[in-house]
Amino acid sequence: MRTLIANGTVVTTGGSTSADVLVDGETIAAVGTGMAGMVQVDETIDATGKWVIPGGIDVHTHMELPFGGTFAKDTFETGTRAAAFGGTTTIVDFAVQSKGKSLREGLDAWHAKAEGNAVVDYGFHMIMSDVTDDSLKEMDQLVAEGVPDFKLFTAYPGVFYSDDAAIFRAMQQTGRNGGLIMMHAENGPAIDVVAAQFVADGKTDPYYHGVVRYPIFEGEATNRVIRLAEAAGVPVYIVHLSALEALDQVRQARDRGAAAFAETCPQYLFLSLDDMGNGFEGSKFVCSPPLRPRDPHWEELWKGLRKDDLQVVSTDHCPFDFHGQKELGRGDFRKIPNGLPGVEDRVDLLHDGGVVGGRISKERWVEIISTAPARMFGMYPQKGAVAAGADADLVVYDPNRKRVISATSHHMDVDYSCYEGRTVQGGSDVVMSRGSVVVRNGTFTGRKGHGRFLRRAPADFARLA
Ligand code: DUC
Ligand code: ZN
Ligand code: ZN
């Protein structure tokens, strides 16, 4: 199958130019001008007035994550389908090592969940909950199998938590095998002390989830793990950074030349602690790190994105129904499953708030949602590029289209939206995954099982720093 995407504006990190894109089979054959009528194709997609961008890459999702006695609701089928509707053509999900189990068992379980079900391509990172001599050795094998990143937590004592020794040992191991440590950086033990004090005082509403997880607890843990990485001589990537206190630590680290990288998520740019009020309704917004007060965090995070102290925006997509799942925490905010739906809305929210809002250029938008994650997670230039030889993961994007976000029209398998009623400008007209159109003007045309596992190489962080 040969397709020509004609007359669009190709937007890449390097600049924007009027060009046609010729797709042959699963890859991009050529990017150039004047191809219409000159090349034989099966279909021509007219992109006049539209942008042609590399498909979005969301490097932080949790399909079917077991958490708080339940499971994140989206499967690889529903979650990647929703991603495709939102212009995201690659996800990297977190396989989970349970305590007392091997990395292998966790990874095999995630392969079984995804294989034959995903609509777009997917990779895995590995959550390490049990750092032992054996699991440290297993890391080398995972790197060789295309799973080169490992997420550890300074939060969630008794569940995912690792102490400093475990984190440092895992970092040393990545120094030998080329992998990357991704850190959930909040001081979990200190948070648990404050949370228990609030509950003892009868402060059990969801709102207090947002209060007890102090920004300084995130700042402290962020500084600590960056310092540990510097001591181990390895790069480190801070996931879902939410607060100025943590951003300042990343800024300082980068200023002194440390290989510290970080992502934030749409919820920290568009939602705030205020959303967590209104009684138990606030449970819809319970995630960790929590939503922060709007000032000063929102604009500082945007500044971080502009100045490249933050390189990526991913979603931490981890959806739980309000009815039946979030409700597990009625009467005790500590029992509310942590996580928000978001995989479908990231690209449009960032376009609306970033590009339309005048905070970032459209080229920087493409970098943040696609090219930087491809580079940092070993997928570039197969993914994240509009260039000959790259996978034809492409979006014909209408920068003027408007839609109202709502749970009644979204495709994520969850009974509410954090952005209910918000109008966003910008939307995906045509979404292509490896040369196949998977979404066309709001209709799904893809296929369960089309998505393939991506073996990823460790990124060259020396070059990225
Ligand atoms: N944070 C969340 O909100 N959900 C899943 C795990 C995490 O770290
Ligand atoms: Zn996390
Ligand atoms: Zn997460």
Side-chain angles (χ1 to χ4, degrees), residues 306-423:
R306 272 198 300 281
K307 298 186 75 175
D308 206 38
D309 288 318
L310 300 171
Q311 295 77 39
V312 171
V313 174
S314 64
T315 59
D316 200 7
H317 176 76
C318 190
F320 298 101
D321 273 345
F322 177 67
H323 297 287
Q325 292 192 294
K326 292 286 188 181
E327 283 179 332
L328 293 169
R330 273 197 195 276
D332 186 345
F333 65 81
R334 295 173 299 181
K335 298 197 173 120
I336 300 168
N338 285 201
L340 309 184
V343 75
E344 187 167 353
D345 299 320
R346 179 187 68 123
V347 169
D348 295 344
L349 282 167
L350 264 286
H351 176 266
D352 185 59
V355 183
V356 180
R359 295 183 174 101
I360 52 173
S361 68
K362 59 184 183 300
E363 292 78 16
R364 178 65 178 154
W365 168 68
V366 165
E367 187 164 28
I368 288 166
I369 61 161
S370 179
T371 308
R375 283 205 169 104
M376 302 194 69
F377 291 94
M379 292 176 265
Y380 189 83
Q382 182 187 353
K383 305 288 189 193
V386 183
D391 280 359
D393 286 8
L394 295 164
V395 176
V396 178
Y397 199 81
D398 181 348
N400 296 311
R401 197 164 100 187
K402 291 200 168 133
R403 86 177 157 106
V404 179
I405 299 179
S406 173
T408 59
S409 52
H410 73 197
H411 302 87
M412 299 175 283
D413 185 18
V414 60
D415 66 1
Y416 75 96
S417 169
C418 291
Y419 305 99
E420 188 68 39
R422 180 189 288 255
T423 300

Side-chain angles (χ1 to χ4, degrees), residues 63-86:
M63 305 305 169
E64 302 176 45
L65 177 77
F67 195 101
T70 186
F71 287 83
K73 247 191 117 207
D74 267 318
T75 61
F76 276 84
E77 181 183 358
T78 62
T80 56
R81 192 166 165 272
F85 271 103

Side-chain angles (χ1 to χ4, degrees), residues 151-347:
K151 181 182 178 189
L152 284 86
F153 294 70
T154 59
Y156 303 126
V159 189
F160 296 128
Y161 175 82
S162 291
D163 65 18
D164 292 350
I167 293 165
F168 189 62
R169 290 183 82 200
M171 286 175 167
Q172 287 182 320
Q173 197 73 15
T174 59
R176 292 186 279 269
N177 65 28
L180 173 68
I181 297 296
M182 310 169 76
M183 287 300 316
H184 178 135
E186 289 183 287
N187 189 322
I191 287 167
D192 282 3
V193 170
V194 183
Q197 289 163 352
F198 271 62
V199 171
D201 281 352
K203 295 174 176 160
T204 58
D205 274 358
Y207 181 77
Y208 296 108
H209 171 89
V211 176
V212 303
R213 305 181 84 92
Y214 302 162
I216 198 165
F217 288 153
E218 189 181 345
E220 182 277 325
T222 300
N223 174 55
R224 178 160 34 106
V225 299
I226 290 173
R227 287 303 196 175
L228 289 173
E230 287 179 84
V234 297
V236 64
Y237 180 92
I238 309 296
V239 296
H240 48 47
L241 188 148
S242 73
L244 172 60
E245 285 78 351
L247 176 59
D248 272 343
Q249 298 304 324
V250 174
R251 284 175 173 149
Q252 287 170 30
R254 292 176 67 81
D255 285 350
R256 66 179 176 262
F261 303 89
E263 64 176 20
T264 189
C265 308
Q267 52 268 33
Y268 306 120
L269 297 163
F270 297 102
L271 302 173
S272 79
L273 185 59
D274 290 347
D275 292 298
M276 299 185 68
N278 197 17
F280 198 71
E281 281 290 301
S283 66
K284 293 176 176 174
F285 300 91
V286 166
C287 60
S288 293
L291 305 182
R292 303 299 185 186
R294 175 188 182 131
D295 295 320
H297 302 282
W298 287 8
E299 284 313 319
E300 289 292 337
L301 294 178
W302 280 111
K303 203 192 293 175
L305 287 168
R306 272 198 300 281
K307 298 186 75 175
D308 206 38
D309 288 318
L310 300 171
Q311 295 77 39
V312 171
V313 174
S314 64
T315 59
D316 200 7
H317 176 76
C318 190
F320 298 101
D321 273 345
F322 177 67
H323 297 287
Q325 292 192 294
K326 292 286 188 181
E327 283 179 332
L328 293 169
R330 273 197 195 276
D332 186 345
F333 65 81
R334 295 173 299 181
K335 298 197 173 120
I336 300 168
N338 285 201
L340 309 184
V343 75
E344 187 167 353
D345 299 320
R346 179 187 68 123
V347 169

